[in-house]
Amino acid sequence: MAFEDLAHLRRARDLMDREYARPLDVPTMARAALMSSAHFSRRFRAEYGETPYNYLMTRRIERAMALLRRGDLSVTEVCVEVGCTSLGSFSSRFTELVGETPSAYRTRDHTAAAPVPACYSKTMTRPSRI
């Protein structure tokens, strides 16, 4: 893959990392990468090992986990806050990636992780498909 293509893919990935709560679709991400939608989807998957949509949803779930650990927002509020429009789809994807429902995750005691620096916590709690 050409160096320029990697830079363009990284630009789209950075857009997803930064603007995860915004409504993003593949054509919008492809424009950020200066590629057609189909080419972008193929190149993104080849480079990062998952589709652009799955990457975006993983970022959203990751942020939702942080908001749920705080405990001051309901699951519905967290769903909207991270940019998901369907509570059912959000809950299903959350359960798939995290292994428990958002409500169960929210009510679990997270105080043991409180003294852990954020950079380690982010790495250790990152949702992933097994």
Side-chain angles (χ1 to χ4, degrees):
M1 175 179 280
F3 180 74
E4 298 86 28
D5 285 348
L6 287 174
H8 295 311
L9 286 174
R10 182 161 297 160
R11 184 180 305 137
R13 191 184 68 179
D14 290 346
L15 172 70
M16 289 183 263
D17 289 341
R18 193 177 51 252
E19 302 291 333
Y20 63 87
R22 204 176 99 192
L24 292 173
D25 57 8
V26 172
T28 301
M29 294 180 260
R31 275 193 301 277
L34 305 176
M35 298 176 185
S36 71
S37 295
H39 183 68
F40 169 70
S41 292
R42 283 190 303 273
R43 296 308 313 149
F44 192 94
R45 184 180 184 120
E47 188 61 33
Y48 297 113
E50 61 184 330
T51 66
Y53 180 76
N54 284 340
Y55 182 87
L56 176 62
M57 285 305 295
T58 301
R59 295 293 73 73
R60 287 176 173 170
I61 298 302
E62 186 177 74
R63 181 64 183 139
M65 290 170 69
L67 292 172
L68 289 168
R69 281 193 300 271
R70 285 189 352 204
D72 59 342
L73 297 174
S74 70
V75 172
T76 303
E77 290 169 324
V78 168
C79 172
V80 171
E81 183 75 21
V82 299
C84 294
T85 55
S86 166
L87 182 60
S89 296
F90 168 75
S91 295
S92 295
R93 182 60 64 103
F94 189 98
T95 303
E96 174 189 338
L97 292 175
V98 179
E100 62 184 321
T101 65
S103 298
Y105 185 83
R106 182 179 182 270
T107 58
R108 188 162 35 100
D109 182 23
H110 298 282
T111 56
V116 177
C119 57
Y120 291 115
S121 175
K122 182 178 177 182
T123 302
M124 299 308 292
T125 61
R126 175 166 280 156
S128 65
R129 285 181 170 70
I130 298 174

